[in-house]
Amino acid sequence: GDACQYFFVVYSGQIELKDQAKDHRTLERGDVWGGCSLLFDVPQDMDISLIALEDCCVCGVNGQAFRQNLTSRAERRKDEIIKLLDSIGLLDGLLPQHRATVSELTLVTEVHDPGSQVIAAGSLITALKIVKTGRLVVREGRSGISYLEAGGSLFDGSVLHSNSPSKKTITVDERCELLCIDLKALKAVLGLDE
């Protein structure tokens, strides 16, 4: 009957959950309860009784601590993204509020294994991609070979003003993580919509 602002996971054993509505269910390894407390910052309003049916282990997290941790991680990721974007000069000349808006775009991290192709010459460029970790091989024409490592960008700012296909074939030399920004969304934020 106590107000609860925790999210719980059954680690081992079995627990019977009973509420005032006479709803009974057995919780086993991997089952959870208290999700509303975690997500919406509200105490559970049900009168719940939990009865261990055997030796068990339950792990819990305080909703407030979880949300603070999530917010802190989001801020660190935003700072990391701005630093990475700064490393390629993409945000040079932008006002602080525009810089923040770019860092809040939906950014996707891609992971590629050695030998995989990231883009082929002639393919449409749909995202600006920045190397977070690893190493890529860039081939342009018959003999032009270069390498991209952490902080390097697969394409420069000119992709914002052109819909030309890639002139480069880019493959993975060492397993890599790429931070990808959708070009259409980026153009919209920067006022470069077509």
Side-chain angles (χ1 to χ4, degrees):
D2 296 332
C4 180
Q5 292 193 9
Y6 286 81
F7 173 74
F8 296 96
V9 179
V10 178
Y11 186 73
S12 65
Q14 291 187 333
I15 298 173
E16 184 178 45
L17 184 141
K18 294 182 182 180
D19 65 28
Q20 289 178 334
K22 306 292 184 224
D23 182 26
H24 298 263
R25 60 185 172 126
T26 301
L27 303 174
E28 299 177 331
R29 180 178 175 82
D31 288 336
V32 300
W33 76 94
C36 288
S37 296
L38 185 67
L39 297 174
F40 303 113
D41 192 21
V42 294
Q44 296 174 14
D45 56 1
M46 299 175 135
D47 186 12
I48 296 175
S49 296
L50 300 168
I51 302 164
L53 300 176
E54 61 188 44
D55 285 346
C56 61
C57 178
V58 177
C59 302
V61 64
N62 174 284
Q64 181 180 358
F66 176 80
R67 286 183 298 282
Q68 286 174 342
N69 185 287
L70 201 56
T71 300
S72 174
R73 285 177 177 262
E75 286 299 318
R76 282 196 310 270
R77 178 164 165 78
K78 181 179 172 182
D79 292 344
E80 174 189 331
I81 290 165
I82 287 175
K83 184 177 177 181
L84 202 52
L85 293 173
D86 280 345
S87 75
I88 63 164
L90 180 67
L91 302 180
D92 291 351
L94 290 182
L95 297 172
Q97 63 267 27
H98 292 127
R99 293 168 66 88
T101 303
V102 169
S103 71
E104 292 169 1
L105 288 173
T106 301
L107 305 174
V108 176
T109 300
E110 292 180 353
V111 177
H112 296 275
D113 290 320
S116 63
Q117 189 174 71
V118 176
I119 193 160
S123 298
L124 186 62
I125 301 168
T126 59
L128 181 68
K129 299 183 180 197
I130 303 164
V131 183
K132 285 179 72 175
T133 62
R135 185 170 126 147
L136 299 151
V137 178
V138 181
R139 290 182 175 83
E140 192 167 357
R142 292 182 180 243
S143 60
I145 295 178
S146 60
Y147 297 92
L148 280 173
E149 295 182 337
S153 174
L154 276 64
F155 308 105
D156 60 27
S158 66
V159 298
L160 296 172
H161 306 285
S162 168
N163 290 327
S164 301
S166 175
K167 296 178 182 174
K168 306 170 185 177
T169 295
I170 301 173
T171 55
V172 179
D173 188 39
E174 296 173 3
R175 181 181 170 86
C176 68
E177 281 184 71
L178 304 176
L179 179 66
C180 306
I181 306 168
D182 179 76
L183 276 181
K184 191 178 245 183
L186 183 58
K187 287 179 181 182
V189 166
L190 298 175
L192 302 172
D193 310 68
E194 295 156 8

